[in-house]
Structures are given as C-alpha cells and as structure tokens.
Amino acid sequence: MSGIPTIDRQPEREHPAPTGESRPVNVLAIKIGGSLFSDKSVENSLDIPTIADYARVIAKIFREHRGRLVFITGGGAVGHGALRGNDDADPFGCIPLTKALADVRWAWTQALRHEGVRVLPLQLGAMSVLNEDGSFSVHGDVLTRVLDSGALPVLSGDSVLGADGRLHGLSSDRVPEFLVRALEPGLRVVSLTDVPGILLDGPGGKDVLPHVDPASPERAYSALWAKSPWDTTGALKTKLDALLASASAGAECFIMRGSVRSADYDHLFSPFGDWPEGVACTRISSRPSTA
C-alpha cells in the first residue's frame, strides 16, 4: 500500500473563508437517480446509451476534481424489481437486491472506464451495518483509501445487515447517510433526478422549494405526493428523509434536475452563493447559503 499516492482533498483557498460562509467542499457525492436512466415500470429497464452520456459528464468532473468525487447510482427498474414480492418472513429475503445493484454498478463502471476513469464499485453492505435506530455504523477506511488513490468510488443501495440480525434492503438514496459518517466534514451531496427540486405545486409544477432547514422540514414533507405503484423504496420521501439526516450531520445537500443535454455542472464544487443565476434546486442545509 506504500506505493499509492495520497490525494489532498482539501481545496486550495487564497484567503480565509469570511465569517458566515459555508465550509469548503472537500468531497462531492453525485447521485444519478434511476428515473434518469431506467423506466421503473418496465422490468429490468436499463438505458445503456443514457448511462454512457452521463458517464461523460461524470468523467469531466472527475478529471477536474480527482480524489474529491464519489458517484452514487440509483437502482432503477433493476433494483426495484429485486425487492418486489420478497418474503418478509425470510430474514435474508432481500438478498437478490445485492446482485441486482451490483449489476447496475457494473454497468456504470464499464461506461466510466470507457471514458478513461479509474473506477472501483463498492458494496455498501460490506462497509456498514445498521444500528437499532436504523442509523449507519460505518467502516469507511476502504472508501477513503479509494479516494486517496485518485480513483472514483461507485456506490449504490444494498442489502445491509441490521442489529436485529436481518438484512434490510436499502435505497441508494440512503448512501449519503453512510458517506457523512465515513468522511471528514465538508461533504456536499447533489441528487440528480427527474424534477428540479421539491415542487410546491405538485407533479409537473415549476414552483420549487428553494431551501429546507433540517430543524424545520414540515413544508417540504407537506409538498410530497404519492409514489408510483412500481416504486418499492419510498420515492421522494426516502430521499428527503436521508438528505435531512445527512444535513443534520453536517452535509450540504441538493435535489435538482439531471440532464445530459447542454448540462453544465462546473459550479457544483463552488460555494452555493457563487452558483449561476437561474439554477433550480432545493437546498437542504442548516448552513448559510452566502457569505
């Protein structure tokens, strides 16, 4: 292991951060939701050309911020299908999810390698267990070693062992809860999905809730709508639950629309106050948004 170069993930700063400014972003975790590359109503749907398009976007960010980027893939139809119809009486009944999401991670691994990215898919259930309250107890040394080596970790949901001795099928939306415990402070999570944020005017709306304080999330929860019948992981509520928990633990989190057409994500490492005008998103954080 002595031959592995160490990456300094602390961003360089010419001047100290002004009082009130949110802390620098040490690690950015980008999650691409399954709805962007899979039709969850179609069994085992996986849009390989779209994955390749997004892989080019991720590769560009990776090359500019090597050692500071984590990639999370949603499960899409493959992951949701693995949980549908499982026998709850079987304490290890959700084990098919492990294989299903390994397949999804591998699809992304192939696409990212095609773009020249040094990438390693990691299994969440091999790096964590669930405590009695459902929170993560983590073993994050493998993740930090991968980042220090200059490679891109690829994570997803998984079957994770709980304190009750059962396997629990976890959505990829919960991976940020693992990351905020496995990494040093300075985690930013950007969840790309098929909506521009939490919509106050319902499906197809344009009125995006701009900010959610984890200490008072009531307005965000009241804006959620019913999930689709083929969704097995709680849809936007699970995402909101996980991002609120992560923000409460110090992460800065965003929900925003993902796109590979004219997409420009160069600002994602910048302080939120420096983002371009007109970027629609819901920011979930207890920290100030500007200096």
Side-chain angles (χ1 to χ4, degrees), residues 10-11 13 17-18 20-26 68 180 184-188 246-247 249-252 269-272 283 285-288:
Q10 294 287 342
R13 302 184 66 91
E21 184 178 352
S22 59
R23 67 171 66 97
V25 179
N26 290 333
R68 297 174 57 204
V180 79
E184 295 179 357
L187 173 67
R188 173 176 285 172
S246 301
E252 183 183 29
F269 272 94
S270 301
F272 180 59
R283 179 175 180 264
S285 177
S286 57
R287 287 178 279 165

PDB file of all heavy atoms in Angstrom, residues 10-11 13 17-18 20-26 68 180 184-188 246-247 249-252 269-272 283 285-288:
ATOM      1  N   GLN A  10      -8.298  18.643   0.440  1.00  0.00           N
ATOM      2  CA  GLN A  10      -8.608  19.985   0.920  1.00  0.00           C
ATOM      3  C   GLN A  10      -8.449  20.970  -0.230  1.00  0.00           C
ATOM      4  O   GLN A  10      -7.361  21.109  -0.775  1.00  0.00           O
ATOM      5  CB  GLN A  10      -7.664  20.384   2.060  1.00  0.00           C
ATOM      6  CG  GLN A  10      -7.844  19.543   3.306  1.00  0.00           C
ATOM      7  CD  GLN A  10      -9.120  19.889   4.045  1.00  0.00           C
ATOM      8  OE1 GLN A  10      -9.685  20.938   3.833  1.00  0.00           O
ATOM      9  NE2 GLN A  10      -9.568  18.999   4.905  1.00  0.00           N
ATOM     10  N   PRO A  11      -9.517  21.663  -0.651  1.00  0.00           N
ATOM     11  CA  PRO A  11      -9.394  22.625  -1.730  1.00  0.00           C
ATOM     12  C   PRO A  11      -8.518  23.804  -1.329  1.00  0.00           C
ATOM     13  O   PRO A  11      -8.550  24.261  -0.193  1.00  0.00           O
ATOM     14  CB  PRO A  11     -10.842  23.079  -1.981  1.00  0.00           C
ATOM     15  CG  PRO A  11     -11.533  22.836  -0.690  1.00  0.00           C
ATOM     16  CD  PRO A  11     -10.871  21.625  -0.090  1.00  0.00           C
ATOM     17  N   ARG A  13      -7.305  27.533  -0.963  1.00  0.00           N
ATOM     18  CA  ARG A  13      -8.000  28.804  -0.774  1.00  0.00           C
ATOM     19  C   ARG A  13      -6.947  29.893  -0.623  1.00  0.00           C
ATOM     20  O   ARG A  13      -6.014  29.759   0.179  1.00  0.00           O
ATOM     21  CB  ARG A  13      -8.905  28.784   0.470  1.00  0.00           C
ATOM     22  CG  ARG A  13      -9.960  27.710   0.458  1.00  0.00           C
ATOM     23  CD  ARG A  13     -10.861  27.838   1.684  1.00  0.00           C
ATOM     24  NE  ARG A  13     -11.633  29.053   1.664  1.00  0.00           N
ATOM     25  CZ  ARG A  13     -12.855  29.129   1.123  1.00  0.00           C
ATOM     26  NH1 ARG A  13     -13.394  28.084   0.551  1.00  0.00           N
ATOM     27  NH2 ARG A  13     -13.520  30.267   1.138  1.00  0.00           N
ATOM     28  N   ALA A  17     -11.951  31.818   4.738  1.00  0.00           N
ATOM     29  CA  ALA A  17     -13.380  31.955   4.459  1.00  0.00           C
ATOM     30  C   ALA A  17     -13.964  33.060   5.320  1.00  0.00           C
ATOM     31  O   ALA A  17     -13.699  33.130   6.518  1.00  0.00           O
ATOM     32  CB  ALA A  17     -14.100  30.643   4.745  1.00  0.00           C
ATOM     33  N   PRO A  18     -14.751  33.981   4.733  1.00  0.00           N
ATOM     34  CA  PRO A  18     -15.377  35.025   5.535  1.00  0.00           C
ATOM     35  C   PRO A  18     -16.311  34.435   6.579  1.00  0.00           C
ATOM     36  O   PRO A  18     -16.854  33.349   6.399  1.00  0.00           O
ATOM     37  CB  PRO A  18     -16.162  35.844   4.496  1.00  0.00           C
ATOM     38  CG  PRO A  18     -15.560  35.499   3.171  1.00  0.00           C
ATOM     39  CD  PRO A  18     -15.069  34.093   3.315  1.00  0.00           C
ATOM     40  N   GLY A  20     -19.403  33.351   8.426  1.00  0.00           N
ATOM     41  CA  GLY A  20     -20.744  33.038   7.950  1.00  0.00           C
ATOM     42  C   GLY A  20     -20.775  32.232   6.675  1.00  0.00           C
ATOM     43  O   GLY A  20     -21.820  31.711   6.305  1.00  0.00           O
ATOM     44  N   GLU A  21     -19.633  32.121   5.961  1.00  0.00           N
ATOM     45  CA  GLU A  21     -19.635  31.367   4.710  1.00  0.00           C
ATOM     46  C   GLU A  21     -19.636  29.876   5.009  1.00  0.00           C
ATOM     47  O   GLU A  21     -18.991  29.417   5.950  1.00  0.00           O
ATOM     48  CB  GLU A  21     -18.413  31.729   3.872  1.00  0.00           C
ATOM     49  CG  GLU A  21     -18.396  31.045   2.506  1.00  0.00           C
ATOM     50  CD  GLU A  21     -17.192  31.470   1.686  1.00  0.00           C
ATOM     51  OE1 GLU A  21     -16.479  32.386   2.125  1.00  0.00           O
ATOM     52  OE2 GLU A  21     -16.972  30.874   0.624  1.00  0.00           O
ATOM     53  N   SER A  22     -20.361  29.104   4.206  1.00  0.00           N
ATOM     54  CA  SER A  22     -20.365  27.660   4.393  1.00  0.00           C
ATOM     55  C   SER A  22     -18.968  27.120   4.137  1.00  0.00           C
ATOM     56  O   SER A  22     -18.204  27.665   3.345  1.00  0.00           O
ATOM     57  CB  SER A  22     -21.383  27.009   3.451  1.00  0.00           C
ATOM     58  OG  SER A  22     -21.080  27.299   2.108  1.00  0.00           O
ATOM     59  N   ARG A  23     -18.632  26.032   4.807  1.00  0.00           N
ATOM     60  CA  ARG A  23     -17.279  25.491   4.718  1.00  0.00           C
ATOM     61  C   ARG A  23     -16.996  24.982   3.304  1.00  0.00           C
ATOM     62  O   ARG A  23     -17.911  24.677   2.540  1.00  0.00           O
ATOM     63  CB  ARG A  23     -17.103  24.362   5.737  1.00  0.00           C
ATOM     64  CG  ARG A  23     -17.918  23.124   5.455  1.00  0.00           C
ATOM     65  CD  ARG A  23     -17.515  21.988   6.392  1.00  0.00           C
ATOM     66  NE  ARG A  23     -17.847  22.280   7.765  1.00  0.00           N
ATOM     67  CZ  ARG A  23     -18.948  21.848   8.363  1.00  0.00           C
ATOM     68  NH1 ARG A  23     -19.842  21.145   7.690  1.00  0.00           N
ATOM     69  NH2 ARG A  23     -19.187  22.130   9.619  1.00  0.00           N
ATOM     70  N   PRO A  24     -15.703  24.881   2.920  1.00  0.00           N
ATOM     71  CA  PRO A  24     -15.359  24.402   1.591  1.00  0.00           C
ATOM     72  C   PRO A  24     -15.864  22.984   1.360  1.00  0.00           C
ATOM     73  O   PRO A  24     -16.045  22.205   2.296  1.00  0.00           O
ATOM     74  CB  PRO A  24     -13.826  24.447   1.585  1.00  0.00           C
ATOM     75  CG  PRO A  24     -13.452  25.393   2.677  1.00  0.00           C
ATOM     76  CD  PRO A  24     -14.523  25.264   3.713  1.00  0.00           C
ATOM     77  N   VAL A  25     -16.063  22.650   0.100  1.00  0.00           N
ATOM     78  CA  VAL A  25     -16.489  21.302  -0.267  1.00  0.00           C
ATOM     79  C   VAL A  25     -15.248  20.435  -0.400  1.00  0.00           C
ATOM     80  O   VAL A  25     -14.434  20.622  -1.298  1.00  0.00           O
ATOM     81  CB  VAL A  25     -17.279  21.321  -1.594  1.00  0.00           C
ATOM     82  CG1 VAL A  25     -17.679  19.898  -1.970  1.00  0.00           C
ATOM     83  CG2 VAL A  25     -18.497  22.220  -1.485  1.00  0.00           C
ATOM     84  N   ASN A  26     -15.083  19.481   0.508  1.00  0.00           N
ATOM     85  CA  ASN A  26     -13.963  18.554   0.423  1.00  0.00           C
ATOM     86  C   ASN A  26     -14.279  17.381  -0.489  1.00  0.00           C
ATOM     87  O   ASN A  26     -13.427  16.948  -1.268  1.00  0.00           O
ATOM     88  CB  ASN A  26     -13.590  18.042   1.813  1.00  0.00           C
ATOM     89  CG  ASN A  26     -12.964  19.126   2.674  1.00  0.00           C
ATOM     90  OD1 ASN A  26     -12.363  20.071   2.157  1.00  0.00           O
ATOM     91  ND2 ASN A  26     -13.119  19.002   3.980  1.00  0.00           N
ATOM     92  N   ARG A  68     -11.804  13.766  -5.037  1.00  0.00           N
ATOM     93  CA  ARG A  68     -12.802  14.508  -4.254  1.00  0.00           C
ATOM     94  C   ARG A  68     -14.218  14.216  -4.727  1.00  0.00           C
ATOM     95  O   ARG A  68     -15.155  14.930  -4.360  1.00  0.00           O
ATOM     96  CB  ARG A  68     -12.525  16.006  -4.358  1.00  0.00           C
ATOM     97  CG  ARG A  68     -11.187  16.438  -3.781  1.00  0.00           C
ATOM     98  CD  ARG A  68     -10.925  17.907  -4.042  1.00  0.00           C
ATOM     99  NE  ARG A  68     -11.980  18.744  -3.495  1.00  0.00           N
ATOM    100  CZ  ARG A  68     -12.252  19.961  -3.960  1.00  0.00           C
ATOM    101  NH1 ARG A  68     -11.604  20.462  -4.991  1.00  0.00           N
ATOM    102  NH2 ARG A  68     -13.215  20.679  -3.406  1.00  0.00           N
ATOM    103  N   VAL A 180     -21.684  10.644   5.137  1.00  0.00           N
ATOM    104  CA  VAL A 180     -21.458  11.722   6.096  1.00  0.00           C
ATOM    105  C   VAL A 180     -20.807  11.188   7.364  1.00  0.00           C
ATOM    106  O   VAL A 180     -20.168  11.949   8.108  1.00  0.00           O
ATOM    107  CB  VAL A 180     -22.790  12.458   6.393  1.00  0.00           C
ATOM    108  CG1 VAL A 180     -23.649  11.690   7.379  1.00  0.00           C
ATOM    109  CG2 VAL A 180     -22.538  13.874   6.879  1.00  0.00           C
ATOM    110  N   GLU A 184     -14.610  12.947   6.352  1.00  0.00           N
ATOM    111  CA  GLU A 184     -14.394  14.131   7.174  1.00  0.00           C
ATOM    112  C   GLU A 184     -15.407  15.202   6.792  1.00  0.00           C
ATOM    113  O   GLU A 184     -16.052  15.122   5.744  1.00  0.00           O
ATOM    114  CB  GLU A 184     -12.955  14.633   6.974  1.00  0.00           C
ATOM    115  CG  GLU A 184     -11.893  13.656   7.474  1.00  0.00           C
ATOM    116  CD  GLU A 184     -10.485  14.168   7.227  1.00  0.00           C
ATOM    117  OE1 GLU A 184     -10.355  15.261   6.620  1.00  0.00           O
ATOM    118  OE2 GLU A 184      -9.530  13.481   7.625  1.00  0.00           O
ATOM    119  N   PRO A 185     -15.561  16.246   7.622  1.00  0.00           N
ATOM    120  CA  PRO A 185     -16.517  17.319   7.301  1.00  0.00           C
ATOM    121  C   PRO A 185     -16.231  17.947   5.939  1.00  0.00           C
ATOM    122  O   PRO A 185     -15.102  17.949   5.457  1.00  0.00           O
ATOM    123  CB  PRO A 185     -16.308  18.321   8.439  1.00  0.00           C
ATOM    124  CG  PRO A 185     -15.806  17.495   9.581  1.00  0.00           C
ATOM    125  CD  PRO A 185     -14.951  16.434   8.957  1.00  0.00           C
ATOM    126  N   GLY A 186     -17.281  18.509   5.356  1.00  0.00           N
ATOM    127  CA  GLY A 186     -17.130  19.145   4.050  1.00  0.00           C
ATOM    128  C   GLY A 186     -17.746  18.333   2.929  1.00  0.00           C
ATOM    129  O   GLY A 186     -17.329  18.450   1.778  1.00  0.00           O
ATOM    130  N   LEU A 187     -18.775  17.512   3.237  1.00  0.00           N
ATOM    131  CA  LEU A 187     -19.446  16.711   2.220  1.00  0.00           C
ATOM    132  C   LEU A 187     -20.599  17.503   1.609  1.00  0.00           C
ATOM    133  O   LEU A 187     -21.423  18.072   2.322  1.00  0.00           O
ATOM    134  CB  LEU A 187     -19.991  15.416   2.840  1.00  0.00           C
ATOM    135  CG  LEU A 187     -20.870  14.553   1.926  1.00  0.00           C
ATOM    136  CD1 LEU A 187     -20.060  13.959   0.779  1.00  0.00           C
ATOM    137  CD2 LEU A 187     -21.558  13.450   2.729  1.00  0.00           C
ATOM    138  N   ARG A 188     -20.640  17.527   0.288  1.00  0.00           N
ATOM    139  CA  ARG A 188     -21.787  18.065  -0.443  1.00  0.00           C
ATOM    140  C   ARG A 188     -22.410  16.928  -1.243  1.00  0.00           C
ATOM    141  O   ARG A 188     -21.702  16.150  -1.895  1.00  0.00           O
ATOM    142  CB  ARG A 188     -21.378  19.197  -1.381  1.00  0.00           C
ATOM    143  CG  ARG A 188     -22.501  19.682  -2.295  1.00  0.00           C
ATOM    144  CD  ARG A 188     -22.078  20.863  -3.147  1.00  0.00           C
ATOM    145  NE  ARG A 188     -22.028  22.090  -2.350  1.00  0.00           N
ATOM    146  CZ  ARG A 188     -21.542  23.252  -2.810  1.00  0.00           C
ATOM    147  NH1 ARG A 188     -21.046  23.326  -4.036  1.00  0.00           N
ATOM    148  NH2 ARG A 188     -21.552  24.328  -2.045  1.00  0.00           N
ATOM    149  N   SER A 246     -28.639  13.582   6.656  1.00  0.00           N
ATOM    150  CA  SER A 246     -27.268  13.922   6.270  1.00  0.00           C
ATOM    151  C   SER A 246     -26.973  15.384   6.554  1.00  0.00           C
ATOM    152  O   SER A 246     -25.883  15.728   7.039  1.00  0.00           O
ATOM    153  CB  SER A 246     -27.060  13.616   4.777  1.00  0.00           C
ATOM    154  OG  SER A 246     -27.299  12.252   4.500  1.00  0.00           O
ATOM    155  N   ALA A 247     -27.936  16.269   6.259  1.00  0.00           N
ATOM    156  CA  ALA A 247     -27.745  17.696   6.529  1.00  0.00           C
ATOM    157  C   ALA A 247     -27.635  17.950   8.031  1.00  0.00           C
ATOM    158  O   ALA A 247     -26.851  18.797   8.473  1.00  0.00           O
ATOM    159  CB  ALA A 247     -28.890  18.500   5.927  1.00  0.00           C
ATOM    160  N   ALA A 249     -26.297  16.058  10.069  1.00  0.00           N
ATOM    161  CA  ALA A 249     -24.966  15.607  10.464  1.00  0.00           C
ATOM    162  C   ALA A 249     -23.859  16.460   9.854  1.00  0.00           C
ATOM    163  O   ALA A 249     -22.676  16.159  10.040  1.00  0.00           O
ATOM    164  CB  ALA A 249     -24.774  14.143  10.067  1.00  0.00           C
ATOM    165  N   GLY A 250     -24.231  17.517   9.101  1.00  0.00           N
ATOM    166  CA  GLY A 250     -23.223  18.455   8.607  1.00  0.00           C
ATOM    167  C   GLY A 250     -23.069  18.557   7.114  1.00  0.00           C
ATOM    168  O   GLY A 250     -22.329  19.418   6.628  1.00  0.00           O
ATOM    169  N   ALA A 251     -23.722  17.694   6.340  1.00  0.00           N
ATOM    170  CA  ALA A 251     -23.594  17.752   4.881  1.00  0.00           C
ATOM    171  C   ALA A 251     -24.448  18.879   4.312  1.00  0.00           C
ATOM    172  O   ALA A 251     -25.408  19.347   4.941  1.00  0.00           O
ATOM    173  CB  ALA A 251     -23.998  16.425   4.258  1.00  0.00           C
ATOM    174  N   GLU A 252     -24.089  19.321   3.122  1.00  0.00           N
ATOM    175  CA  GLU A 252     -24.887  20.278   2.361  1.00  0.00           C
ATOM    176  C   GLU A 252     -25.478  19.514   1.179  1.00  0.00           C
ATOM    177  O   GLU A 252     -24.738  18.948   0.381  1.00  0.00           O
ATOM    178  CB  GLU A 252     -24.014  21.432   1.875  1.00  0.00           C
ATOM    179  CG  GLU A 252     -24.783  22.514   1.139  1.00  0.00           C
ATOM    180  CD  GLU A 252     -23.868  23.617   0.616  1.00  0.00           C
ATOM    181  OE1 GLU A 252     -22.689  23.319   0.319  1.00  0.00           O
ATOM    182  OE2 GLU A 252     -24.335  24.754   0.484  1.00  0.00           O
ATOM    183  N   PHE A 269     -18.783  22.382  -7.273  1.00  0.00           N
ATOM    184  CA  PHE A 269     -17.801  22.477  -6.193  1.00  0.00           C
ATOM    185  C   PHE A 269     -17.710  23.890  -5.622  1.00  0.00           C
ATOM    186  O   PHE A 269     -17.026  24.111  -4.628  1.00  0.00           O
ATOM    187  CB  PHE A 269     -16.420  22.025  -6.684  1.00  0.00           C
ATOM    188  CG  PHE A 269     -16.181  20.545  -6.556  1.00  0.00           C
ATOM    189  CD1 PHE A 269     -16.431  19.697  -7.617  1.00  0.00           C
ATOM    190  CD2 PHE A 269     -15.699  19.986  -5.376  1.00  0.00           C
ATOM    191  CE1 PHE A 269     -16.210  18.335  -7.512  1.00  0.00           C
ATOM    192  CE2 PHE A 269     -15.471  18.631  -5.256  1.00  0.00           C
ATOM    193  CZ  PHE A 269     -15.728  17.799  -6.325  1.00  0.00           C
ATOM    194  N   SER A 270     -18.378  24.853  -6.252  1.00  0.00           N
ATOM    195  CA  SER A 270     -18.299  26.245  -5.804  1.00  0.00           C
ATOM    196  C   SER A 270     -19.225  26.495  -4.621  1.00  0.00           C
ATOM    197  O   SER A 270     -20.224  25.784  -4.445  1.00  0.00           O
ATOM    198  CB  SER A 270     -18.690  27.186  -6.945  1.00  0.00           C
ATOM    199  OG  SER A 270     -17.842  27.008  -8.064  1.00  0.00           O
ATOM    200  N   PRO A 271     -18.937  27.523  -3.802  1.00  0.00           N
ATOM    201  CA  PRO A 271     -19.903  27.913  -2.764  1.00  0.00           C
ATOM    202  C   PRO A 271     -21.257  28.191  -3.396  1.00  0.00           C
ATOM    203  O   PRO A 271     -21.342  28.743  -4.503  1.00  0.00           O
ATOM    204  CB  PRO A 271     -19.282  29.187  -2.169  1.00  0.00           C
ATOM    205  CG  PRO A 271     -17.830  29.082  -2.467  1.00  0.00           C
ATOM    206  CD  PRO A 271     -17.727  28.371  -3.778  1.00  0.00           C
ATOM    207  N   PHE A 272     -22.316  27.820  -2.703  1.00  0.00           N
ATOM    208  CA  PHE A 272     -23.646  27.946  -3.286  1.00  0.00           C
ATOM    209  C   PHE A 272     -23.964  29.378  -3.707  1.00  0.00           C
ATOM    210  O   PHE A 272     -24.631  29.618  -4.720  1.00  0.00           O
ATOM    211  CB  PHE A 272     -24.702  27.444  -2.297  1.00  0.00           C
ATOM    212  CG  PHE A 272     -26.103  27.545  -2.822  1.00  0.00           C
ATOM    213  CD1 PHE A 272     -26.483  26.900  -3.979  1.00  0.00           C
ATOM    214  CD2 PHE A 272     -27.050  28.317  -2.148  1.00  0.00           C
ATOM    215  CE1 PHE A 272     -27.781  26.997  -4.471  1.00  0.00           C
ATOM    216  CE2 PHE A 272     -28.351  28.423  -2.633  1.00  0.00           C
ATOM    217  CZ  PHE A 272     -28.717  27.765  -3.793  1.00  0.00           C
ATOM    218  N   ARG A 283     -32.189  23.236  -1.798  1.00  0.00           N
ATOM    219  CA  ARG A 283     -31.001  23.099  -0.959  1.00  0.00           C
ATOM    220  C   ARG A 283     -31.438  22.689   0.434  1.00  0.00           C
ATOM    221  O   ARG A 283     -32.325  23.311   1.032  1.00  0.00           O
ATOM    222  CB  ARG A 283     -30.225  24.411  -0.914  1.00  0.00           C
ATOM    223  CG  ARG A 283     -28.965  24.392  -0.047  1.00  0.00           C
ATOM    224  CD  ARG A 283     -28.234  25.728  -0.192  1.00  0.00           C
ATOM    225  NE  ARG A 283     -27.022  25.760   0.603  1.00  0.00           N
ATOM    226  CZ  ARG A 283     -26.930  26.288   1.828  1.00  0.00           C
ATOM    227  NH1 ARG A 283     -28.023  26.813   2.400  1.00  0.00           N
ATOM    228  NH2 ARG A 283     -25.776  26.289   2.476  1.00  0.00           N
ATOM    229  N   SER A 285     -29.896  22.250   4.033  1.00  0.00           N
ATOM    230  CA  SER A 285     -28.693  22.556   4.820  1.00  0.00           C
ATOM    231  C   SER A 285     -29.060  23.487   5.953  1.00  0.00           C
ATOM    232  O   SER A 285     -29.939  24.337   5.813  1.00  0.00           O
ATOM    233  CB  SER A 285     -27.618  23.194   3.942  1.00  0.00           C
ATOM    234  OG  SER A 285     -26.491  23.559   4.703  1.00  0.00           O
ATOM    235  N   SER A 286     -28.347  23.348   7.056  1.00  0.00           N
ATOM    236  CA  SER A 286     -28.539  24.271   8.185  1.00  0.00           C
ATOM    237  C   SER A 286     -27.541  25.415   8.130  1.00  0.00           C
ATOM    238  O   SER A 286     -27.580  26.297   8.981  1.00  0.00           O
ATOM    239  CB  SER A 286     -28.375  23.515   9.500  1.00  0.00           C
ATOM    240  OG  SER A 286     -27.096  22.892   9.566  1.00  0.00           O
ATOM    241  N   ARG A 287     -26.665  25.423   7.092  1.00  0.00           N
ATOM    242  CA  ARG A 287     -25.642  26.449   6.982  1.00  0.00           C
ATOM    243  C   ARG A 287     -26.107  27.614   6.103  1.00  0.00           C
ATOM    244  O   ARG A 287     -26.958  27.424   5.234  1.00  0.00           O
ATOM    245  CB  ARG A 287     -24.365  25.848   6.401  1.00  0.00           C
ATOM    246  CG  ARG A 287     -23.613  24.956   7.383  1.00  0.00           C
ATOM    247  CD  ARG A 287     -22.407  24.364   6.729  1.00  0.00           C
ATOM    248  NE  ARG A 287     -22.760  23.196   5.905  1.00  0.00           N
ATOM    249  CZ  ARG A 287     -21.959  22.680   5.010  1.00  0.00           C
ATOM    250  NH1 ARG A 287     -20.796  23.221   4.765  1.00  0.00           N
ATOM    251  NH2 ARG A 287     -22.332  21.629   4.324  1.00  0.00           N
ATOM    252  N   PRO A 288     -25.508  28.816   6.278  1.00  0.00           N
ATOM    253  CA  PRO A 288     -25.860  29.934   5.412  1.00  0.00           C
ATOM    254  C   PRO A 288     -25.539  29.623   3.959  1.00  0.00           C
ATOM    255  O   PRO A 288     -24.626  28.861   3.658  1.00  0.00           O
ATOM    256  CB  PRO A 288     -24.969  31.078   5.929  1.00  0.00           C
ATOM    257  CG  PRO A 288     -24.559  30.667   7.301  1.00  0.00           C
ATOM    258  CD  PRO A 288     -24.510  29.165   7.298  1.00  0.00           C
TER     259      PRO A 288
END
